[in-house]
């Protein structure tokens, strides 16, 4: 199952089907996915309108608990940095985001996923976007703190600060310093396959 923002939602995120195909080939088991990502979504505000964690039911309820969900891939954070108070709600930057509230909301999301699919491994991406390196480093620290009390079922996913930024500040892997380019989408699938142990 996939949760996140425009990097994961269609049409910008195209890495999901190749990842499922790669996992199927590597594991010998059929992998498919349910995509619950929403462009513009964040942990602070979902799609600029609905709040998390009050919106957790909106995200999770449509997917039955009876589904075999071995993995949940989560990628939130860049919209939290760019729009700390929702769209048009004030200046950008993580300094304008409430650390305690953000960690609490991420914790609620992870715990809700775990309660519904207790055997799933949850992978949380460390996000990156051009021009916000220090903010993304800080957010990665917040994510690590939340994950530290939820191992082994919730773990660090791919690190966009490394592969997405690359040596050229995202020129190759992004189309605009934020969203995956064609090359970036292909590399995202590779990164997640590796993180998932295949």
């Amino acid at each position: 199952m996939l949760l996140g923002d425009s990097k994961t939602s269609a049409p910008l995120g195209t890495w999901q089907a190749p990842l499922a195909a790669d996992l199927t080939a590597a594991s010998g088991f059929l992998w498919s996915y349910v995509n619950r990502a929403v462009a513009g979504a964040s942990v602070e505000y979902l799609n600029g309108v609905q709040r998390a964690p009050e919106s957790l039911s909106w995200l999770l309820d449509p997917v039955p608990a009876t589904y075999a969900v071995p993995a949940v891939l989560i990628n939130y954070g860049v919209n939290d940095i760019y729009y700390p108070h929702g769209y048009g709600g004030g200046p950008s930057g993580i300094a304008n985001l409430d650390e305690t509230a953000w960690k609490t909301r991420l914790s609620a999301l992870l715990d809700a996923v775990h309660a519904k699919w207790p055997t799933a491994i949850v992978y949380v991406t460390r996000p990156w976007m051009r021009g916000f390196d220090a903010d993304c480093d800080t957010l990665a620290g917040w994510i690590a703190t939340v994950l530290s009390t939820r191992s082994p079922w919730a773990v660090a996913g791919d690190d966009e600060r490394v592969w997405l930024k690359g040596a050229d500040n995202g020129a190759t892997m992004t189309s605009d310093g934020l969203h995956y380019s064609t090359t970036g989408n292909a590399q995202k699938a590779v990164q997640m396959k590796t993180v998932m142990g295949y």
Side-chain angles (χ1 to χ4, degrees):
M1 190 166 87
L2 311 172
L3 299 170
D5 52 33
S6 56
K7 293 182 181 183
T8 303
S9 67
L12 296 175
T14 61
W15 53 270
Q16 305 90 339
L19 174 61
D22 289 347
L23 292 173
T24 297
S27 68
F29 297 97
L30 178 62
W31 284 75
S32 61
Y33 61 91
V34 175
N35 193 343
R36 296 295 294 154
V38 179
S42 64
V43 173
E44 181 74 8
Y45 287 82
L46 178 61
N47 203 26
V49 178
Q50 294 177 290
R51 287 181 177 270
E54 291 86 354
S55 298
L56 292 181
S57 61
W58 186 90
L59 282 173
L60 303 182
D61 285 358
V63 186
T66 54
Y67 273 25
V69 178
V72 179
L73 314 184
I74 294 177
N75 187 349
Y76 291 110
V78 292
N79 290 321
D80 292 285
I81 293 170
Y82 203 69
Y83 302 108
H85 302 289
Y87 293 117
S92 298
I94 203 166
N96 300 293
L97 188 62
D98 186 318
E99 176 181 357
T100 299
W102 195 90
K103 288 178 178 176
T104 298
R105 291 183 175 110
L106 179 61
S107 297
L109 172 60
L110 299 182
D111 293 344
V113 167
H114 184 59
K116 190 163 186 177
W117 299 285
T119 61
I121 304 298
V122 182
Y123 300 88
V124 182
T125 292
R126 277 74 51 83
W128 178 82
M129 64 177 165
R130 185 183 297 139
F132 291 87
D133 292 44
D135 288 346
C136 290
D137 288 343
T138 298
L139 195 67
W142 294 3
I143 291 169
T145 298
V146 172
L147 293 177
S148 68
T149 59
R150 289 165 174 82
S151 180
W153 58 266
V155 298
D158 59 314
D159 194 342
E160 292 182 352
R161 299 172 304 155
V162 177
W163 73 265
L164 189 63
K165 179 180 179 180
D168 59 5
N169 203 30
T172 299
M173 296 295 174
T174 76
S175 59
D176 56 5
L178 170 61
H179 299 99
Y180 306 144
S181 63
T182 300
T183 303
N185 270 292
Q187 184 57 216
K188 171 70 173 185
V190 171
Q191 292 290 323
M192 290 312 306
K193 178 184 174 186
T194 301
V195 165
M196 295 171 72
Y198 292 96

